[in-house]
Structure formats: C-alpha cells, structure tokens
C-alpha cells in the first residue's frame, strides 16, 4: 500500500472505530483527537492465552499517524481498577509541553483508576516513533504501540519508496509483570529469566515453529487456524518495488538483530533523524531505538522469504521471531525453501559495533557545538543494598519520589527530593574490568540541574557487574532532547579519547547503546525546559535504579495542568485551582 493510501486508511479506520477525530488548524496542520481506555484483557500474543495490557480492546495499542506540525490530543482513561498508568511518547521531544512526556514521578502523577488525563502535544519532526507505559513494568505487560509522523504537507522525504510497512518489535513473558516486579524487589533477587517469545507487531508463536519442516520433525508446526491474535502479519509486496520498513524496538529486555532472507536493507533514518544511507545484510536494534530501512524486492517472485528477529547481547533462550515477505502473485501459504536468516552469535560484539559505526548524519543535518559547558561521566554498575540487587549510576541507585520533579522544582518544594545533586564522576581508581571491590550502593533522588541553553557532554561508562566476567549491554534513552553520538571506545574513557570524537557528522539520536566494558560519548544542547528522565531502556534495569533525572529551565515552564501535579506534596495545592 502506498504512503498516501496508507495514511488515508489510518484516518478512515480511526473515524470508523471512533478512536480519533481530525480537525484542521492553521497552516495545514491538524489536531488529531483520540479517546483511549487502558485495561487488562485476555489475549494470545504467542498462541498461549495470557493477560495483556491493551488500549480500546487492542494489543498492541492503536497506531497514531500524523504529520509534522500536527497536534496530538489523547484522552486517556485508566480502567485498570487497582493501579495507576502513564504513557510516554517515545522520541517526541515535547517542546513546550514537558508535562505531557508521560513519565510517572518526573513529569506527572500517575493517572488513578477511573480518571482521565489529556495528553496534548505537538509532533514537530517527521520520523518513526512509538509510545509505551512508563510506570512500573507496564511496558512488559504490553502497554505500547506505534506513532508514525510523516513529513509536513508540501515537503518530501530525501529518499523514494513505493510503499511501507511498520514493524514494532517486543518480547513477551508468560509470567506476570507483577511476579517480575516482586522478584526484582526480593532479597535475594529472583529473576524470571529470558522472555518466552519475541513478537513482531504483537504476534509470535510459542513452542512451535513456522519453519518446522527444517527441523526434521523435532519442532511442532504452529496451529494458527482460528487464532488470528498470534498469526504473523505477512508483508505482501510487488516485485521490483522499493519499500520502507519502519522498525522500532519496545522490548523490555532483549537486544535484537533483524534480517530479511536474500535481501539487503539500506538504512535511512535512526530515531527520527535522517542518516547517510548505507547498505546492510542485517541490523542490530536495541530497546528504545527506531530505524527506517529501504528494501527493494528484486528477488525471484515465485518464492517467499523469511523475515527474522533474533536475540543479541544475551545468551539466547528465546527462539527468533519470524514472518514472511510474500511476493505477488505467489501464495502467502507457500513456505520458503531455504531456512530463515541465522542471527549472529549473541556475543559477537564486533558485528554490533560494525553496524553502529556506520551511522552518520545525513549531509546538511545540524552539527554539534565544538565545545561543551559541562560533562557528566556516568558509571553504570550493579550493586547491592542490604542484600537487595540494584543498578546504580556513580554509586547512586535512583529512587523516584511521590511528588513529580516538574512540580516540586517549579514551586520550590525542597522536601520532595534529595537537594544534593548526584555525583558527576566516579573515582579514577575504579577498575571497570573487574567486579566492584565494595558492591554496596546508596539510594538517591537527586537531580542534575543543567543551565538552560548550555552544551552538555555525557560519557556513559560501562563496567563489570557483580558477577566476574560479566558486563551487559545498556541502551540509554534521553527524554526531551536528541543528542549527538560523538564516539565509542573500549575500557575506561580518558581525556585522550576526546581526539576520537566525531564533530563533523555524528548521528542525532535519542537512544544510544554502551557495549560491555566500553564507553559512549554523547553531546546535547539543554534547550528544552523541563524535568527529563535519562535512563537505561531495559525495563528491569531502570526499575531497580539505572537512571538519572535532568532538570533545566523549569522556572520558565508555564501552564502546567493541575492534574499533572495532583499527588504527593503538590497534591493539595494543585487540586485547588484558586491556589495555582
């Protein structure tokens, strides 16, 4: 389906389902209204019935489609009965609307059961985005969906394609998120293990194989008839056309590698920013990242071809997710003759780095300032507190307060969080190649207060975990801003490593990975007032402390909705409009 027809189809679907309405505003932009209800429901994402968190009876949630410059207005009603909810609009910078970022305890209060909250914000830049829950483990529970922003009317993409598909990647457990939360908070930690299934657009197949005939009968063939919820969404294509694949990863844990059998992909977008096109056979994608690739259907049209997504960065205990690239006029039921693509070995980090090192900004993209005003060097470690396992940054494990930072900073509520800022560096004596000599850490809720319009460098430093010879991948996501990825390296970052920085054409992204025992250097301009999360996008890691909070220019933020702050120390004040 072509881009224009697809756009029309989404709008018509919204109208039919009464999920959204569209109103013209000035200069051709539109306000797109949605009414959503979040609730638990029975579903079979991988052909095994579970309880998922859905929106308006859908899993994944409805896709939002808009154009750059449009305003999105989502009336979100919480029908969960016993727990709060928020939704984060991942990759949307929320320029001028920091209270709509959807981060519990940072930008807003959780939406209580039975309450409705209005998210209203502008999508200022075309790109591939998504949304997800940002309270507890609600992303693991299935609270996510796609958010696609097309170029504004009258503008064109810097590349041509004939049609497009959206691939939202996720992972799925059969045990509940509540069990996972209790396990993470237990002494000692009780880990529920690797996900049972990988999902493509919310669909996967557990304990069976779409490619069963390659296993000589050792794998059970999937029984998909009558089970539409787990049947793969097949990509139907015409021969000799170019298709845009919009790929986003909302996984809670897994890093993934995606490949299309016998087809090359040309990467053209990363995290909503255009990149210098480059060709790959397969691509790594980490939790929180999004890409667009161009795929040309130049293979024999009398066959179909596997699309595979497999685990990277962790010893895989989860089979790859599979679906089909179906060439017209070949039947979609025709199984490919060749096996699916083989995922690179899980710990082949040279393969991963080779892909990351090919990403450069498209010519004409904004360049980073040549100097910085402040540098934060953030050491990522695994630690303990009284026998409880934690993740920590510079030996502080983040604990979020009941009063949202946006309100407590704006109105000077000094008792709402730690007033001492967290450490900006770590001891030069620390050996990142070995487990910590002293594994103890502390809890903290302090904030890095940044000067408005200053240039900030962040050095993400990875290290050995508590167990010897173990250092994990961590994809870090910044809210409210994009950053330039200036470089990566091995071991401990030193002043000499600055010579390796790319100041000519570094990619702009909102999520960047640090590889085991390595470092990643970022630079951004702190020009968007608000209180912003910056954290590892692996959900269990953030849940037990792997993140920080950045605040800048909060005193300039106006018109914060009362409901965003109606909890904690700000609750009484902001539920009374006369005091605001």
């Amino acid at each position: 389906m072509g881009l224009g027809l697809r756009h029309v189809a989404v709008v018509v679907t919204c109208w039919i389902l009464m999920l959204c309405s569209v109103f013209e505003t000035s200069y051709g932009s539109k306000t797109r209204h949605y009414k959503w209800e979040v609730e638990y429901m029975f579903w079979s994402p991988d052909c095994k019935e579970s309880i998922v968190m859905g929106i308006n009876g859908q899993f994944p949630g409805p896709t939002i489609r808009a154009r750059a410059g449009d305003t999105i207005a989502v009336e979100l009603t919480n029908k969960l009965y016993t727990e709060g909810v928020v939704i984060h609009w991942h990759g949307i910078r929320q320029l001028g609307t920091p209270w709509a970022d959807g981060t519990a305890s940072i930008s807003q209060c959780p939406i209580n059961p039975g309450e409705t909250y209005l998210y209203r914000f502008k999508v200022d830049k075309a790109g591939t985005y998504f949304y997800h829950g940002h309270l507890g483990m609600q992303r693991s529970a299935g609270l996510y969906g796609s958010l696609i922003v097309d170029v504004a009317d009258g503008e064109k993409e810097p590349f041509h394609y004939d049609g497009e598909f959206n691939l939202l990647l996720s992972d799925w457990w059969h045990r509940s998120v509540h069990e996972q939360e209790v396990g993470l908070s237990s002494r000692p930690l009780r880990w529920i293990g690797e996900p049972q299934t990988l999902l493509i657009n919310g669909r996967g197949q557990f304990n069976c194989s779409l490619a069963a005939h390659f296993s000589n009968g050792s794998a059970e063939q999937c029984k998909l008839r009558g089970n539409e919820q787990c049947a793969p969404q097949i990509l139907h294509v015409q021969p000799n056309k170019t298709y845009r694949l919009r790929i986003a990863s909302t996984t809670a844990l897994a890093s993934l590698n995606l490949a299309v059998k016998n087809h090359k992909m040309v990467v053209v977008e990363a995290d909503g920013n255009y990149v210098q096109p480059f060709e790959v056979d397969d691509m790594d994608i980490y939790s929180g990242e999004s890409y667009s690739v161009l795929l040309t259907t130049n293979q024999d049209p009398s066959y179909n071809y596997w699309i595979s997504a497999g685990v990277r960065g962790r010893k895989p205990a989860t089979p790859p997710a599979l679906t089909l690239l179906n060439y017209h006029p070949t039947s979609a039921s025709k199984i490919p003759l060749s096996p699916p693509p083989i995922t690179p070995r899980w710990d082949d980090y040279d393969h991963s780095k080779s892909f990351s090192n090919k990403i450069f900004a498209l010519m004409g993209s904004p360049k980073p300032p040549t100097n910085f005003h402040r540098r934060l060097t953030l050491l990522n470690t695994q630690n303990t507190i009284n026998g409880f396992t934690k993740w920590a940054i510079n030996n502080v494990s983040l604990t979020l307060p009941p009063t949202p930072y946006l309100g407590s900073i704006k109105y000077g509520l000094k008792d709402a969080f730690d007033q001492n800022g967290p450490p900006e560096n770590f001891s030069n004596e620390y050996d990142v190649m070995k487990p910590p000599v002293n594994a103890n850490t502390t809890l903290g809720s302090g904030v890095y207060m940044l000067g408005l319009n200053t240039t900030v460098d962040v050095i993400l430093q990875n290290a050995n975990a508590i167990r010897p010879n173990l250092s994990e991948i961590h994809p870090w996501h910044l809210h409210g801003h994009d950053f330039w990825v200036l470089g990566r390296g091995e071991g401990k970052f030193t002043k000499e490593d600055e010579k390796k920085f790319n100041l000519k054409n570094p990619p702009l992204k909102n999520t960047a990975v640090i590889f085991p025992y390595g470092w990643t250097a970022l630079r951004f301009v702190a020009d968007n007032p608000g209180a912003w999360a910056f954290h590892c996008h692996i959900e269990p890691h953030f849940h037990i402390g792997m993140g920080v909070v950045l605040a800048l220019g909060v005193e300039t933020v106006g018109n914060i909705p009362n409901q965003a702050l109606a909890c904690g120390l700000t609750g009484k004040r902001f539920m009374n409009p006369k005091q605001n």
Side-chain angles (χ1 to χ4, degrees):
M1 181 179 292
L3 178 61
L5 290 177
R6 186 180 179 91
H7 176 70
V8 171
V10 170
V11 174
V12 171
T13 301
C14 287
W15 178 76
I16 292 173
L17 297 178
M18 297 302 288
L19 298 179
C20 72
S21 53
V22 180
F23 297 95
E24 292 279 353
T25 57
S26 60
Y27 304 108
S29 61
K30 298 177 174 65
T31 298
R32 301 175 185 271
H33 292 271
Y34 298 79
K35 289 188 176 183
W36 287 358
E37 293 182 346
V38 176
E39 59 188 340
Y40 284 112
M41 58 191 189
F42 289 105
W43 205 265
S44 301
D46 61 356
C47 305
K48 179 179 172 64
E49 189 175 71
S50 305
I51 293 178
V52 306
M53 192 173 285
I55 298 174
N56 290 357
Q58 297 183 44
F59 169 79
T63 294
I64 290 178
R65 187 127 201 170
R67 289 192 176 274
D70 287 351
T71 296
I72 305 296
V74 178
E75 292 183 51
L76 186 74
T77 300
N78 179 359
K79 303 198 77 174
L80 298 176
Y81 298 110
T82 60
E83 60 187 288
V85 70
V86 297
I87 287 185
H88 168 56
W89 314 95
H90 188 107
I92 305 302
R93 292 180 293 175
Q94 300 294 346
L95 300 176
T97 53
W99 54 83
D101 189 49
T103 46
S105 296
I106 299 175
S107 65
Q108 71 169 99
C109 303
I111 306 164
N112 289 324
E115 291 183 348
T116 298
Y117 185 84
L118 175 62
Y119 288 104
R120 187 181 179 90
F121 55 90
K122 180 175 286 190
V123 288
D124 67 296
K125 188 171 59 171
T128 304
Y129 308 105
F130 58 100
Y131 61 84
H132 59 80
H134 214 292
L135 174 62
M137 307 289 290
Q138 291 181 347
R139 177 156 50 97
S140 295
L143 185 55
Y144 47 74
S146 295
L147 198 170
I148 306 301
V149 182
D150 295 312
V151 294
D153 284 328
E155 296 186 8
K156 292 183 178 181
E157 303 273 15
F159 42 82
H160 168 78
Y161 53 99
D162 302 299
E164 70 174 69
F165 298 95
N166 185 40
L167 301 180
L168 184 63
L169 309 177
S170 57
D171 40 16
W172 186 250
W173 285 260
H174 292 161
R175 293 160 76 176
S176 75
V177 293
H178 304 297
E179 186 173 353
Q180 186 172 177
E181 285 179 308
V182 172
L184 290 169
S185 303
S186 295
R187 182 172 58 183
L189 182 143
R190 295 175 63 172
W191 175 237
I192 68 169
E194 304 301 305
Q196 277 65 61
T197 314
L198 300 178
L199 308 179
I200 300 176
N201 292 337
R203 297 160 182 249
Q205 298 78 42
F206 172 69
N207 206 25
C208 68
S209 172
L210 290 176
H213 66 291
F214 293 115
S215 61
N216 297 319
S218 62
E220 181 181 347
Q221 189 170 356
C222 297
K223 298 178 177 64
L224 301 176
R225 187 177 298 277
N227 200 344
E228 174 63 21
Q229 293 177 353
C230 67
Q233 286 189 348
I234 294 171
L235 279 59
H236 303 285
V237 297
Q238 298 286 334
N240 300 311
K241 299 290 185 181
T242 297
Y243 291 87
R244 180 181 189 169
L245 306 185
R246 294 182 180 267
I247 307 161
S249 175
T250 186
T251 55
L253 178 68
S255 303
L256 301 175
N257 178 272
L258 185 121
V260 182
K261 187 73 173 185
N262 289 1
H263 290 73
K264 294 186 180 296
M265 298 177 286
V266 177
V267 181
V268 293
E269 178 215 345
D271 292 355
N273 295 285
Y274 298 127
V275 300
Q276 195 68 34
F278 64 98
E279 188 176 76
V280 293
D281 294 314
D282 60 82
M283 57 179 292
D284 281 356
I285 181 167
Y286 303 96
S287 178
E289 289 189 316
S290 64
Y291 290 95
S292 283
V293 302
L294 301 181
L295 179 144
T296 300
T297 52
N298 55 10
Q299 298 299 300
D300 187 340
S302 63
Y303 296 99
N304 294 323
Y305 301 86
W306 290 113
I307 300 172
S308 175
V311 173
R312 299 278 283 132
R314 302 179 66 86
K315 194 169 185 178
T318 312
L322 295 175
T323 189
L324 284 178
L325 188 71
N326 166 231
Y327 272 71
H328 179 80
T330 301
S331 169
S333 63
K334 184 176 181 179
I335 296 294
L337 295 179
S338 58
I342 297 174
T343 302
R345 182 179 165 85
W346 69 275
D347 58 355
D348 183 357
Y349 295 117
D350 287 339
H351 188 88
S352 305
K353 294 169 188 176
S354 173
F355 174 77
S356 296
N357 292 338
K358 292 176 182 175
I359 305 174
F360 298 102
L362 186 65
M363 187 177 299
S365 300
K367 293 185 178 181
T370 54
N371 298 301
F372 63 92
H373 298 99
R374 187 174 177 185
R375 172 171 287 170
L376 307 177
T377 303
L378 305 181
L379 175 67
N380 294 231
T381 56
Q382 192 180 43
N383 301 83
T384 59
I385 297 178
N386 299 322
F388 295 95
T389 300
K390 298 289 182 181
W391 286 98
I393 305 303
N394 292 348
N395 207 42
V396 177
S397 183
L398 178 65
T399 177
L400 295 173
T403 305
Y405 288 102
L406 185 64
S408 56
I409 296 171
K410 170 76 175 177
Y411 297 102
L413 304 177
K414 296 182 184 282
D415 294 333
F417 62 92
D418 296 342
Q419 293 300 297
N420 293 324
E424 301 197 6
N425 208 329
F426 63 96
S427 170
N428 195 47
E429 304 301 316
Y430 193 96
D431 188 346
V432 300
M433 307 303 291
K434 297 179 180 178
V437 175
N438 180 358
N440 292 328
T441 189
T442 58
L443 297 174
S445 61
V447 177
Y448 291 108
M449 299 290 189
L450 306 179
L452 186 60
N453 296 319
T454 59
T455 299
V456 180
D457 272 15
V458 177
I459 308 299
L460 295 169
Q461 176 67 64
N462 213 339
N464 201 103
I466 291 177
R467 198 175 80 208
N469 303 314
L470 175 65
S471 182
E472 296 192 23
I473 277 179
H474 300 294
W476 274 75
H477 172 59
L478 176 60
H479 294 227
H481 300 78
D482 286 345
F483 49 67
W484 290 276
V485 183
L486 300 185
R488 293 184 175 86
E490 312 296 325
K492 187 188 293 186
F493 177 83
T494 67
K495 185 76 174 174
E496 286 296 305
D497 289 318
E498 291 184 15
K499 297 176 182 177
K500 305 174 186 176
F501 284 180
N502 174 14
L503 300 178
K504 179 183 177 182
N505 58 355
L508 265 172
K509 297 186 89 259
N510 60 57
T511 303
V513 64
I514 40 172
F515 293 109
Y517 301 108
W519 56 265
T520 298
L522 315 175
R523 179 169 293 176
F524 70 97
V525 177
D527 57 1
N528 188 14
W532 306 107
F534 182 40
H535 61 95
C536 178
H537 209 257
I538 294 176
E539 194 163 50
H541 290 185
F542 182 49
H543 190 70
I544 53 176
M546 198 170 201
V548 299
V549 176
L550 312 175
L552 53 133
V554 175
E555 68 282 357
T556 69
V557 176
N559 302 317
I560 303 175
N562 293 343
Q563 192 182 2
L565 306 178
C567 60
L569 297 180
T570 53
K572 291 183 180 179
R573 174 173 184 170
F574 295 105
M575 285 303 288
N576 183 352
K578 293 182 179 179
Q579 296 182 23
N580 196 13

